[in-house]
PDB file of all heavy atoms in Angstrom:
ATOM      1  N   CYS A   1       0.866  -1.184   0.000  1.00  0.00           N
ATOM      2  CA  CYS A   1       0.000   0.000   0.000  1.00  0.00           C
ATOM      3  C   CYS A   1       0.906   1.238   0.000  1.00  0.00           C
ATOM      4  O   CYS A   1       2.029   1.169  -0.486  1.00  0.00           O
ATOM      5  CB  CYS A   1      -0.957  -0.020   1.194  1.00  0.00           C
ATOM      6  SG  CYS A   1      -0.135   0.013   2.800  1.00  0.00           S
ATOM      7  N   GLN A   2       0.463   2.324   0.566  1.00  0.00           N
ATOM      8  CA  GLN A   2       1.259   3.545   0.559  1.00  0.00           C
ATOM      9  C   GLN A   2       2.409   3.473   1.569  1.00  0.00           C
ATOM     10  O   GLN A   2       3.529   3.824   1.252  1.00  0.00           O
ATOM     11  CB  GLN A   2       0.361   4.765   0.840  1.00  0.00           C
ATOM     12  CG  GLN A   2       1.037   6.104   0.653  1.00  0.00           C
ATOM     13  CD  GLN A   2       1.318   6.445  -0.804  1.00  0.00           C
ATOM     14  OE1 GLN A   2       0.884   5.776  -1.729  1.00  0.00           O
ATOM     15  NE2 GLN A   2       2.067   7.500  -1.013  1.00  0.00           N
ATOM     16  N   SER A   3       2.107   3.021   2.804  1.00  0.00           N
ATOM     17  CA  SER A   3       3.144   3.016   3.836  1.00  0.00           C
ATOM     18  C   SER A   3       3.308   1.686   4.557  1.00  0.00           C
ATOM     19  O   SER A   3       4.202   1.548   5.386  1.00  0.00           O
ATOM     20  CB  SER A   3       2.843   4.110   4.871  1.00  0.00           C
ATOM     21  OG  SER A   3       1.619   3.823   5.533  1.00  0.00           O
ATOM     22  N   GLY A   4       2.449   0.721   4.267  1.00  0.00           N
ATOM     23  CA  GLY A   4       2.585  -0.595   4.876  1.00  0.00           C
ATOM     24  C   GLY A   4       1.550  -0.930   5.934  1.00  0.00           C
ATOM     25  O   GLY A   4       1.653  -1.972   6.573  1.00  0.00           O
ATOM     26  N   VAL A   5       0.550  -0.065   6.132  1.00  0.00           N
ATOM     27  CA  VAL A   5      -0.467  -0.336   7.150  1.00  0.00           C
ATOM     28  C   VAL A   5      -1.669  -1.068   6.549  1.00  0.00           C
ATOM     29  O   VAL A   5      -2.027  -2.162   6.992  1.00  0.00           O
ATOM     30  CB  VAL A   5      -0.914   0.967   7.852  1.00  0.00           C
ATOM     31  CG1 VAL A   5      -2.024   0.676   8.856  1.00  0.00           C
ATOM     32  CG2 VAL A   5       0.270   1.621   8.543  1.00  0.00           C
ATOM     33  N   ARG A   6      -2.303  -0.494   5.535  1.00  0.00           N
ATOM     34  CA  ARG A   6      -3.459  -1.148   4.903  1.00  0.00           C
ATOM     35  C   ARG A   6      -3.085  -2.535   4.396  1.00  0.00           C
ATOM     36  O   ARG A   6      -3.899  -3.463   4.442  1.00  0.00           O
ATOM     37  CB  ARG A   6      -3.989  -0.314   3.729  1.00  0.00           C
ATOM     38  CG  ARG A   6      -4.878   0.823   4.124  1.00  0.00           C
ATOM     39  CD  ARG A   6      -5.201   1.681   2.927  1.00  0.00           C
ATOM     40  NE  ARG A   6      -4.056   2.531   2.617  1.00  0.00           N
ATOM     41  CZ  ARG A   6      -3.967   3.326   1.572  1.00  0.00           C
ATOM     42  NH1 ARG A   6      -4.948   3.367   0.685  1.00  0.00           N
ATOM     43  NH2 ARG A   6      -2.916   4.080   1.378  1.00  0.00           N
ATOM     44  N   SER A   7      -1.868  -2.670   3.895  1.00  0.00           N
ATOM     45  CA  SER A   7      -1.462  -3.958   3.331  1.00  0.00           C
ATOM     46  C   SER A   7      -1.394  -5.057   4.391  1.00  0.00           C
ATOM     47  O   SER A   7      -1.623  -6.224   4.080  1.00  0.00           O
ATOM     48  CB  SER A   7      -0.136  -3.831   2.586  1.00  0.00           C
ATOM     49  OG  SER A   7       0.878  -3.353   3.428  1.00  0.00           O
ATOM     50  N   VAL A   8      -1.110  -4.706   5.652  1.00  0.00           N
ATOM     51  CA  VAL A   8      -1.128  -5.715   6.729  1.00  0.00           C
ATOM     52  C   VAL A   8      -2.543  -6.263   6.875  1.00  0.00           C
ATOM     53  O   VAL A   8      -2.750  -7.473   6.943  1.00  0.00           O
ATOM     54  CB  VAL A   8      -0.633  -5.127   8.068  1.00  0.00           C
ATOM     55  CG1 VAL A   8      -0.908  -6.097   9.220  1.00  0.00           C
ATOM     56  CG2 VAL A   8       0.844  -4.802   8.009  1.00  0.00           C
ATOM     57  N   TYR A   9      -3.533  -5.371   6.916  1.00  0.00           N
ATOM     58  CA  TYR A   9      -4.927  -5.793   7.049  1.00  0.00           C
ATOM     59  C   TYR A   9      -5.388  -6.592   5.830  1.00  0.00           C
ATOM     60  O   TYR A   9      -6.085  -7.600   5.956  1.00  0.00           O
ATOM     61  CB  TYR A   9      -5.833  -4.588   7.280  1.00  0.00           C
ATOM     62  CG  TYR A   9      -5.570  -3.913   8.600  1.00  0.00           C
ATOM     63  CD1 TYR A   9      -4.900  -2.699   8.650  1.00  0.00           C
ATOM     64  CD2 TYR A   9      -5.961  -4.499   9.809  1.00  0.00           C
ATOM     65  CE1 TYR A   9      -4.637  -2.077   9.862  1.00  0.00           C
ATOM     66  CE2 TYR A   9      -5.703  -3.884  11.023  1.00  0.00           C
ATOM     67  CZ  TYR A   9      -5.044  -2.674  11.046  1.00  0.00           C
ATOM     68  OH  TYR A   9      -4.780  -2.065  12.246  1.00  0.00           O
ATOM     69  N   ALA A  10      -4.989  -6.138   4.641  1.00  0.00           N
ATOM     70  CA  ALA A  10      -5.361  -6.841   3.413  1.00  0.00           C
ATOM     71  C   ALA A  10      -4.725  -8.233   3.387  1.00  0.00           C
ATOM     72  O   ALA A  10      -5.388  -9.220   3.026  1.00  0.00           O
ATOM     73  CB  ALA A  10      -4.935  -6.034   2.192  1.00  0.00           C
ATOM     74  N   THR A  11      -3.458  -8.314   3.762  1.00  0.00           N
ATOM     75  CA  THR A  11      -2.762  -9.602   3.797  1.00  0.00           C
ATOM     76  C   THR A  11      -3.438 -10.541   4.787  1.00  0.00           C
ATOM     77  O   THR A  11      -3.665 -11.719   4.492  1.00  0.00           O
ATOM     78  CB  THR A  11      -1.277  -9.406   4.162  1.00  0.00           C
ATOM     79  OG1 THR A  11      -0.668  -8.554   3.189  1.00  0.00           O
ATOM     80  CG2 THR A  11      -0.530 -10.731   4.215  1.00  0.00           C
ATOM     81  N   ARG A  12      -3.792 -10.034   5.948  1.00  0.00           N
ATOM     82  CA  ARG A  12      -4.476 -10.858   6.954  1.00  0.00           C
ATOM     83  C   ARG A  12      -5.799 -11.387   6.404  1.00  0.00           C
ATOM     84  O   ARG A  12      -6.127 -12.561   6.554  1.00  0.00           O
ATOM     85  CB  ARG A  12      -4.718 -10.070   8.234  1.00  0.00           C
ATOM     86  CG  ARG A  12      -5.325 -10.962   9.343  1.00  0.00           C
ATOM     87  CD  ARG A  12      -5.888 -10.196  10.486  1.00  0.00           C
ATOM     88  NE  ARG A  12      -7.046  -9.446   9.995  1.00  0.00           N
ATOM     89  CZ  ARG A  12      -7.375  -8.235  10.425  1.00  0.00           C
ATOM     90  NH1 ARG A  12      -6.645  -7.615  11.310  1.00  0.00           N
ATOM     91  NH2 ARG A  12      -8.450  -7.636   9.945  1.00  0.00           N
ATOM     92  N   ASP A  13      -6.573 -10.508   5.753  1.00  0.00           N
ATOM     93  CA  ASP A  13      -7.846 -10.941   5.179  1.00  0.00           C
ATOM     94  C   ASP A  13      -7.642 -12.027   4.121  1.00  0.00           C
ATOM     95  O   ASP A  13      -8.418 -12.988   4.052  1.00  0.00           O
ATOM     96  CB  ASP A  13      -8.596  -9.763   4.565  1.00  0.00           C
ATOM     97  CG  ASP A  13      -9.248  -8.868   5.614  1.00  0.00           C
ATOM     98  OD1 ASP A  13      -9.114  -9.138   6.834  1.00  0.00           O
ATOM     99  OD2 ASP A  13      -9.899  -7.886   5.205  1.00  0.00           O
ATOM    100  N   LEU A  14      -6.609 -11.878   3.303  1.00  0.00           N
ATOM    101  CA  LEU A  14      -6.327 -12.888   2.276  1.00  0.00           C
ATOM    102  C   LEU A  14      -5.929 -14.214   2.912  1.00  0.00           C
ATOM    103  O   LEU A  14      -6.372 -15.282   2.477  1.00  0.00           O
ATOM    104  CB  LEU A  14      -5.237 -12.382   1.328  1.00  0.00           C
ATOM    105  CG  LEU A  14      -5.670 -11.240   0.412  1.00  0.00           C
ATOM    106  CD1 LEU A  14      -4.458 -10.595  -0.245  1.00  0.00           C
ATOM    107  CD2 LEU A  14      -6.665 -11.712  -0.637  1.00  0.00           C
ATOM    108  N   LEU A  15      -5.099 -14.170   3.944  1.00  0.00           N
ATOM    109  CA  LEU A  15      -4.716 -15.400   4.641  1.00  0.00           C
ATOM    110  C   LEU A  15      -5.925 -16.051   5.298  1.00  0.00           C
ATOM    111  O   LEU A  15      -6.091 -17.272   5.248  1.00  0.00           O
ATOM    112  CB  LEU A  15      -3.625 -15.103   5.674  1.00  0.00           C
ATOM    113  CG  LEU A  15      -2.257 -14.741   5.092  1.00  0.00           C
ATOM    114  CD1 LEU A  15      -1.351 -14.174   6.180  1.00  0.00           C
ATOM    115  CD2 LEU A  15      -1.613 -15.947   4.419  1.00  0.00           C
ATOM    116  N   ASP A  16      -6.802 -15.237   5.898  1.00  0.00           N
ATOM    117  CA  ASP A  16      -8.023 -15.774   6.505  1.00  0.00           C
ATOM    118  C   ASP A  16      -8.936 -16.405   5.457  1.00  0.00           C
ATOM    119  O   ASP A  16      -9.711 -17.308   5.772  1.00  0.00           O
ATOM    120  CB  ASP A  16      -8.789 -14.675   7.252  1.00  0.00           C
ATOM    121  CG  ASP A  16      -8.126 -14.280   8.568  1.00  0.00           C
ATOM    122  OD1 ASP A  16      -7.229 -15.012   9.047  1.00  0.00           O
ATOM    123  OD2 ASP A  16      -8.510 -13.230   9.124  1.00  0.00           O
ATOM    124  N   ALA A  17      -8.836 -15.931   4.209  1.00  0.00           N
ATOM    125  CA  ALA A  17      -9.633 -16.490   3.106  1.00  0.00           C
ATOM    126  C   ALA A  17      -8.923 -17.671   2.443  1.00  0.00           C
ATOM    127  O   ALA A  17      -9.294 -18.100   1.362  1.00  0.00           O
ATOM    128  CB  ALA A  17      -9.927 -15.406   2.069  1.00  0.00           C
ATOM    129  N   GLU A  18      -7.875 -18.162   3.100  1.00  0.00           N
ATOM    130  CA  GLU A  18      -7.136 -19.353   2.686  1.00  0.00           C
ATOM    131  C   GLU A  18      -6.213 -19.164   1.495  1.00  0.00           C
ATOM    132  O   GLU A  18      -5.864 -20.126   0.816  1.00  0.00           O
ATOM    133  CB  GLU A  18      -8.089 -20.539   2.484  1.00  0.00           C
ATOM    134  CG  GLU A  18      -8.845 -20.883   3.748  1.00  0.00           C
ATOM    135  CD  GLU A  18      -9.779 -22.066   3.593  1.00  0.00           C
ATOM    136  OE1 GLU A  18      -9.841 -22.662   2.489  1.00  0.00           O
ATOM    137  OE2 GLU A  18     -10.448 -22.399   4.583  1.00  0.00           O
ATOM    138  N   PHE A  19      -5.785 -17.920   1.247  1.00  0.00           N
ATOM    139  CA  PHE A  19      -4.688 -17.711   0.304  1.00  0.00           C
ATOM    140  C   PHE A  19      -3.436 -18.230   1.007  1.00  0.00           C
ATOM    141  O   PHE A  19      -3.224 -17.976   2.191  1.00  0.00           O
ATOM    142  CB  PHE A  19      -4.548 -16.230  -0.063  1.00  0.00           C
ATOM    143  CG  PHE A  19      -5.512 -15.784  -1.128  1.00  0.00           C
ATOM    144  CD1 PHE A  19      -6.841 -15.552  -0.825  1.00  0.00           C
ATOM    145  CD2 PHE A  19      -5.081 -15.607  -2.439  1.00  0.00           C
ATOM    146  CE1 PHE A  19      -7.741 -15.153  -1.809  1.00  0.00           C
ATOM    147  CE2 PHE A  19      -5.969 -15.216  -3.431  1.00  0.00           C
ATOM    148  CZ  PHE A  19      -7.300 -14.983  -3.114  1.00  0.00           C
ATOM    149  N   LYS A  20      -2.609 -18.969   0.300  1.00  0.00           N
ATOM    150  CA  LYS A  20      -1.501 -19.685   0.927  1.00  0.00           C
ATOM    151  C   LYS A  20      -0.152 -18.960   0.899  1.00  0.00           C
ATOM    152  O   LYS A  20       0.668 -19.147   1.783  1.00  0.00           O
ATOM    153  CB  LYS A  20      -1.311 -21.050   0.242  1.00  0.00           C
ATOM    154  CG  LYS A  20      -2.562 -21.886   0.170  1.00  0.00           C
ATOM    155  CD  LYS A  20      -2.925 -22.439   1.519  1.00  0.00           C
ATOM    156  CE  LYS A  20      -4.091 -23.397   1.396  1.00  0.00           C
ATOM    157  NZ  LYS A  20      -5.178 -23.092   2.293  1.00  0.00           N
ATOM    158  N   ARG A  21       0.084 -18.159  -0.148  1.00  0.00           N
ATOM    159  CA  ARG A  21       1.422 -17.578  -0.363  1.00  0.00           C
ATOM    160  C   ARG A  21       1.322 -16.064  -0.509  1.00  0.00           C
ATOM    161  O   ARG A  21       1.525 -15.522  -1.586  1.00  0.00           O
ATOM    162  CB  ARG A  21       2.045 -18.195  -1.606  1.00  0.00           C
ATOM    163  CG  ARG A  21       2.224 -19.684  -1.487  1.00  0.00           C
ATOM    164  CD  ARG A  21       2.840 -20.266  -2.748  1.00  0.00           C
ATOM    165  NE  ARG A  21       3.038 -21.684  -2.589  1.00  0.00           N
ATOM    166  CZ  ARG A  21       2.360 -22.602  -3.237  1.00  0.00           C
ATOM    167  NH1 ARG A  21       1.446 -22.262  -4.105  1.00  0.00           N
ATOM    168  NH2 ARG A  21       2.616 -23.871  -3.044  1.00  0.00           N
ATOM    169  N   VAL A  22       1.013 -15.400   0.607  1.00  0.00           N
ATOM    170  CA  VAL A  22       0.812 -13.958   0.599  1.00  0.00           C
ATOM    171  C   VAL A  22       1.759 -13.312   1.597  1.00  0.00           C
ATOM    172  O   VAL A  22       1.813 -13.719   2.758  1.00  0.00           O
ATOM    173  CB  VAL A  22      -0.647 -13.608   0.971  1.00  0.00           C
ATOM    174  CG1 VAL A  22      -0.883 -12.117   0.853  1.00  0.00           C
ATOM    175  CG2 VAL A  22      -1.628 -14.370   0.105  1.00  0.00           C
ATOM    176  N   LEU A  23       2.502 -12.320   1.133  1.00  0.00           N
ATOM    177  CA  LEU A  23       3.443 -11.592   1.985  1.00  0.00           C
ATOM    178  C   LEU A  23       3.116 -10.107   1.960  1.00  0.00           C
ATOM    179  O   LEU A  23       2.684  -9.570   0.943  1.00  0.00           O
ATOM    180  CB  LEU A  23       4.879 -11.794   1.484  1.00  0.00           C
ATOM    181  CG  LEU A  23       5.379 -13.235   1.438  1.00  0.00           C
ATOM    182  CD1 LEU A  23       6.681 -13.319   0.659  1.00  0.00           C
ATOM    183  CD2 LEU A  23       5.549 -13.785   2.844  1.00  0.00           C
ATOM    184  N   ASN A  24       3.335  -9.440   3.077  1.00  0.00           N
ATOM    185  CA  ASN A  24       3.140  -8.000   3.177  1.00  0.00           C
ATOM    186  C   ASN A  24       4.477  -7.309   2.894  1.00  0.00           C
ATOM    187  O   ASN A  24       5.517  -7.739   3.381  1.00  0.00           O
ATOM    188  CB  ASN A  24       2.658  -7.648   4.590  1.00  0.00           C
ATOM    189  CG  ASN A  24       2.543  -6.161   4.791  1.00  0.00           C
ATOM    190  OD1 ASN A  24       1.855  -5.470   4.058  1.00  0.00           O
ATOM    191  ND2 ASN A  24       3.240  -5.653   5.798  1.00  0.00           N
ATOM    192  N   MET A  25       4.440  -6.221   2.103  1.00  0.00           N
ATOM    193  CA  MET A  25       5.656  -5.447   1.832  1.00  0.00           C
ATOM    194  C   MET A  25       5.736  -4.297   2.833  1.00  0.00           C
ATOM    195  O   MET A  25       4.952  -3.353   2.786  1.00  0.00           O
ATOM    196  CB  MET A  25       5.646  -4.898   0.402  1.00  0.00           C
ATOM    197  CG  MET A  25       6.936  -4.162   0.051  1.00  0.00           C
ATOM    198  SD  MET A  25       7.017  -3.663  -1.683  1.00  0.00           S
ATOM    199  CE  MET A  25       6.045  -2.149  -1.653  1.00  0.00           C
ATOM    200  N   GLY A  26       6.671  -4.376   3.743  1.00  0.00           N
ATOM    201  CA  GLY A  26       6.859  -3.341   4.748  1.00  0.00           C
ATOM    202  C   GLY A  26       7.289  -2.017   4.125  1.00  0.00           C
ATOM    203  O   GLY A  26       8.072  -1.982   3.191  1.00  0.00           O
ATOM    204  N   GLY A  27       6.746  -0.936   4.636  1.00  0.00           N
ATOM    205  CA  GLY A  27       7.122   0.392   4.158  1.00  0.00           C
ATOM    206  C   GLY A  27       6.341   0.880   2.967  1.00  0.00           C
ATOM    207  O   GLY A  27       6.302   2.067   2.685  1.00  0.00           O
ATOM    208  N   GLY A  28       5.729  -0.043   2.221  1.00  0.00           N
ATOM    209  CA  GLY A  28       4.869   0.304   1.105  1.00  0.00           C
ATOM    210  C   GLY A  28       5.537   1.078  -0.023  1.00  0.00           C
ATOM    211  O   GLY A  28       6.761   1.075  -0.194  1.00  0.00           O
ATOM    212  N   TYR A  29       4.681   1.758  -0.780  1.00  0.00           N
ATOM    213  CA  TYR A  29       5.122   2.505  -1.960  1.00  0.00           C
ATOM    214  C   TYR A  29       6.116   3.607  -1.587  1.00  0.00           C
ATOM    215  O   TYR A  29       7.073   3.862  -2.314  1.00  0.00           O
ATOM    216  CB  TYR A  29       3.888   3.097  -2.661  1.00  0.00           C
ATOM    217  CG  TYR A  29       4.200   3.849  -3.931  1.00  0.00           C
ATOM    218  CD1 TYR A  29       4.527   3.170  -5.101  1.00  0.00           C
ATOM    219  CD2 TYR A  29       4.169   5.245  -3.958  1.00  0.00           C
ATOM    220  CE1 TYR A  29       4.810   3.857  -6.268  1.00  0.00           C
ATOM    221  CE2 TYR A  29       4.442   5.939  -5.122  1.00  0.00           C
ATOM    222  CZ  TYR A  29       4.769   5.244  -6.268  1.00  0.00           C
ATOM    223  OH  TYR A  29       5.057   5.930  -7.424  1.00  0.00           O
ATOM    224  N   ILE A  30       5.908   4.227  -0.428  1.00  0.00           N
ATOM    225  CA  ILE A  30       6.814   5.294   0.017  1.00  0.00           C
ATOM    226  C   ILE A  30       8.234   4.757   0.150  1.00  0.00           C
ATOM    227  O   ILE A  30       9.195   5.384  -0.309  1.00  0.00           O
ATOM    228  CB  ILE A  30       6.329   5.919   1.339  1.00  0.00           C
ATOM    229  CG1 ILE A  30       5.034   6.707   1.115  1.00  0.00           C
ATOM    230  CG2 ILE A  30       7.397   6.803   1.959  1.00  0.00           C
ATOM    231  CD1 ILE A  30       4.371   7.185   2.394  1.00  0.00           C
ATOM    232  N   ALA A  31       8.386   3.596   0.766  1.00  0.00           N
ATOM    233  CA  ALA A  31       9.715   2.998   0.925  1.00  0.00           C
ATOM    234  C   ALA A  31      10.288   2.556  -0.415  1.00  0.00           C
ATOM    235  O   ALA A  31      11.493   2.681  -0.661  1.00  0.00           O
ATOM    236  CB  ALA A  31       9.647   1.817   1.892  1.00  0.00           C
ATOM    237  N   TRP A  32       9.423   2.042  -1.299  1.00  0.00           N
ATOM    238  CA  TRP A  32       9.864   1.612  -2.637  1.00  0.00           C
ATOM    239  C   TRP A  32      10.486   2.793  -3.376  1.00  0.00           C
ATOM    240  O   TRP A  32      11.599   2.705  -3.895  1.00  0.00           O
ATOM    241  CB  TRP A  32       8.672   1.035  -3.397  1.00  0.00           C
ATOM    242  CG  TRP A  32       9.003   0.446  -4.738  1.00  0.00           C
ATOM    243  CD1 TRP A  32       9.052   1.107  -5.928  1.00  0.00           C
ATOM    244  CD2 TRP A  32       9.336  -0.915  -5.023  1.00  0.00           C
ATOM    245  NE1 TRP A  32       9.377   0.235  -6.943  1.00  0.00           N
ATOM    246  CE2 TRP A  32       9.564  -1.010  -6.411  1.00  0.00           C
ATOM    247  CE3 TRP A  32       9.451  -2.060  -4.240  1.00  0.00           C
ATOM    248  CZ2 TRP A  32       9.900  -2.208  -7.026  1.00  0.00           C
ATOM    249  CZ3 TRP A  32       9.786  -3.250  -4.865  1.00  0.00           C
ATOM    250  CH2 TRP A  32      10.012  -3.315  -6.239  1.00  0.00           C
ATOM    251  N   VAL A  33       9.756   3.903  -3.406  1.00  0.00           N
ATOM    252  CA  VAL A  33      10.243   5.118  -4.081  1.00  0.00           C
ATOM    253  C   VAL A  33      11.484   5.661  -3.369  1.00  0.00           C
ATOM    254  O   VAL A  33      12.457   6.070  -4.006  1.00  0.00           O
ATOM    255  CB  VAL A  33       9.130   6.191  -4.140  1.00  0.00           C
ATOM    256  CG1 VAL A  33       9.665   7.524  -4.641  1.00  0.00           C
ATOM    257  CG2 VAL A  33       7.992   5.714  -5.038  1.00  0.00           C
ATOM    258  N   GLY A  34      11.465   5.627  -2.040  1.00  0.00           N
ATOM    259  CA  GLY A  34      12.592   6.115  -1.252  1.00  0.00           C
ATOM    260  C   GLY A  34      13.876   5.351  -1.508  1.00  0.00           C
ATOM    261  O   GLY A  34      14.979   5.886  -1.315  1.00  0.00           O
ATOM    262  N   ASN A  35      13.752   4.108  -1.947  1.00  0.00           N
ATOM    263  CA  ASN A  35      14.926   3.303  -2.280  1.00  0.00           C
ATOM    264  C   ASN A  35      15.347   3.481  -3.729  1.00  0.00           C
ATOM    265  O   ASN A  35      16.279   2.832  -4.193  1.00  0.00           O
ATOM    266  CB  ASN A  35      14.648   1.826  -1.984  1.00  0.00           C
ATOM    267  CG  ASN A  35      14.876   1.487  -0.535  1.00  0.00           C
ATOM    268  OD1 ASN A  35      15.984   1.192  -0.135  1.00  0.00           O
ATOM    269  ND2 ASN A  35      13.825   1.548   0.266  1.00  0.00           N
ATOM    270  N   GLY A  36      14.639   4.331  -4.457  1.00  0.00           N
ATOM    271  CA  GLY A  36      15.003   4.609  -5.843  1.00  0.00           C
ATOM    272  C   GLY A  36      14.595   3.535  -6.832  1.00  0.00           C
ATOM    273  O   GLY A  36      15.092   3.510  -7.962  1.00  0.00           O
ATOM    274  N   PHE A  37      13.681   2.648  -6.433  1.00  0.00           N
ATOM    275  CA  PHE A  37      13.241   1.595  -7.334  1.00  0.00           C
ATOM    276  C   PHE A  37      12.274   2.158  -8.371  1.00  0.00           C
ATOM    277  O   PHE A  37      11.585   3.136  -8.129  1.00  0.00           O
ATOM    278  CB  PHE A  37      12.591   0.451  -6.566  1.00  0.00           C
ATOM    279  CG  PHE A  37      13.518  -0.252  -5.597  1.00  0.00           C
ATOM    280  CD1 PHE A  37      13.007  -0.933  -4.516  1.00  0.00           C
ATOM    281  CD2 PHE A  37      14.892  -0.233  -5.767  1.00  0.00           C
ATOM    282  CE1 PHE A  37      13.844  -1.592  -3.621  1.00  0.00           C
ATOM    283  CE2 PHE A  37      15.743  -0.882  -4.880  1.00  0.00           C
ATOM    284  CZ  PHE A  37      15.204  -1.566  -3.801  1.00  0.00           C
ATOM    285  N   ALA A  38      12.205   1.511  -9.524  1.00  0.00           N
ATOM    286  CA  ALA A  38      11.415   1.984 -10.652  1.00  0.00           C
ATOM    287  C   ALA A  38       9.923   1.989 -10.346  1.00  0.00           C
ATOM    288  O   ALA A  38       9.406   1.084  -9.690  1.00  0.00           O
ATOM    289  CB  ALA A  38      11.676   1.108 -11.869  1.00  0.00           C
ATOM    290  N   VAL A  39       9.259   3.037 -10.839  1.00  0.00           N
ATOM    291  CA  VAL A  39       7.803   3.144 -10.731  1.00  0.00           C
ATOM    292  C   VAL A  39       7.243   3.565 -12.080  1.00  0.00           C
ATOM    293  O   VAL A  39       7.962   4.077 -12.942  1.00  0.00           O
ATOM    294  CB  VAL A  39       7.356   4.158  -9.657  1.00  0.00           C
ATOM    295  CG1 VAL A  39       7.797   3.691  -8.278  1.00  0.00           C
ATOM    296  CG2 VAL A  39       7.883   5.541  -9.945  1.00  0.00           C
ATOM    297  N   LYS A  40       5.970   3.342 -12.252  1.00  0.00           N
ATOM    298  CA  LYS A  40       5.266   3.715 -13.463  1.00  0.00           C
ATOM    299  C   LYS A  40       4.169   4.688 -13.076  1.00  0.00           C
ATOM    300  O   LYS A  40       3.491   4.508 -12.080  1.00  0.00           O
ATOM    301  CB  LYS A  40       4.668   2.461 -14.107  1.00  0.00           C
ATOM    302  CG  LYS A  40       3.923   2.700 -15.390  1.00  0.00           C
ATOM    303  CD  LYS A  40       3.483   1.383 -16.000  1.00  0.00           C
ATOM    304  CE  LYS A  40       2.632   1.547 -17.217  1.00  0.00           C
ATOM    305  NZ  LYS A  40       3.269   2.162 -18.340  1.00  0.00           N
ATOM    306  N   LYS A  41       4.007   5.730 -13.872  1.00  0.00           N
ATOM    307  CA  LYS A  41       2.942   6.694 -13.633  1.00  0.00           C
ATOM    308  C   LYS A  41       1.948   6.582 -14.769  1.00  0.00           C
ATOM    309  O   LYS A  41       2.322   6.381 -15.908  1.00  0.00           O
ATOM    310  CB  LYS A  41       3.495   8.101 -13.534  1.00  0.00           C
ATOM    311  CG  LYS A  41       4.430   8.245 -12.347  1.00  0.00           C
ATOM    312  CD  LYS A  41       4.828   9.665 -12.093  1.00  0.00           C
ATOM    313  CE  LYS A  41       5.884   9.661 -11.017  1.00  0.00           C
ATOM    314  NZ  LYS A  41       5.726  10.467  -9.945  1.00  0.00           N
ATOM    315  N   SER A  42       0.667   6.725 -14.428  1.00  0.00           N
ATOM    316  CA  SER A  42      -0.364   6.678 -15.469  1.00  0.00           C
ATOM    317  C   SER A  42      -0.214   7.871 -16.393  1.00  0.00           C
ATOM    318  O   SER A  42       0.092   8.973 -15.957  1.00  0.00           O
ATOM    319  CB  SER A  42      -1.751   6.675 -14.824  1.00  0.00           C
ATOM    320  OG  SER A  42      -1.908   5.508 -14.062  1.00  0.00           O
ATOM    321  N   ASP A  43      -0.439   7.641 -17.687  1.00  0.00           N
ATOM    322  CA  ASP A  43      -0.240   8.690 -18.688  1.00  0.00           C
ATOM    323  C   ASP A  43      -1.215   9.849 -18.553  1.00  0.00           C
ATOM    324  O   ASP A  43      -0.909  10.962 -18.924  1.00  0.00           O
ATOM    325  CB  ASP A  43      -0.386   8.089 -20.091  1.00  0.00           C
ATOM    326  CG  ASP A  43       0.690   7.062 -20.369  1.00  0.00           C
ATOM    327  OD1 ASP A  43       1.784   7.170 -19.786  1.00  0.00           O
ATOM    328  OD2 ASP A  43       0.437   6.141 -21.178  1.00  0.00           O
ATOM    329  N   ASN A  44      -2.386   9.582 -17.985  1.00  0.00           N
ATOM    330  CA  ASN A  44      -3.407  10.630 -17.944  1.00  0.00           C
ATOM    331  C   ASN A  44      -3.417  11.436 -16.646  1.00  0.00           C
ATOM    332  O   ASN A  44      -4.352  12.154 -16.374  1.00  0.00           O
ATOM    333  CB  ASN A  44      -4.795  10.018 -18.155  1.00  0.00           C
ATOM    334  CG  ASN A  44      -5.128   8.953 -17.133  1.00  0.00           C
ATOM    335  OD1 ASN A  44      -4.287   8.573 -16.319  1.00  0.00           O
ATOM    336  ND2 ASN A  44      -6.358   8.469 -17.165  1.00  0.00           N
TER     337      ASN A  44
END
């Protein structure tokens, strides 16, 4: 997600729904961008 909070809840819900291989990305999009990793922006 943006910072890693919503994704914890989403991951938990997916695991509760019996998804087997789900991991949460700590730090979210903010951390991804902060590490200089590639992102895509919508053209519009």
Side-chain angles (χ1 to χ4, degrees):
C1 62
Q2 189 71 9
S3 64
V5 177
R6 279 173 283 175
S7 58
V8 169
Y9 294 106
T11 301
R12 185 194 66 216
D13 284 1
L14 290 167
L15 290 168
D16 286 346
E18 300 181 1
F19 278 77
K20 307 287 186 232
R21 299 180 178 111
V22 185
L23 301 168
N24 175 56
M25 184 174 82
Y29 182 75
I30 291 171
W32 185 272
V33 171
N35 277 274
F37 298 156
V39 296
K40 181 175 175 64
K41 297 189 187 231
S42 296
D43 296 332
N44 58 354

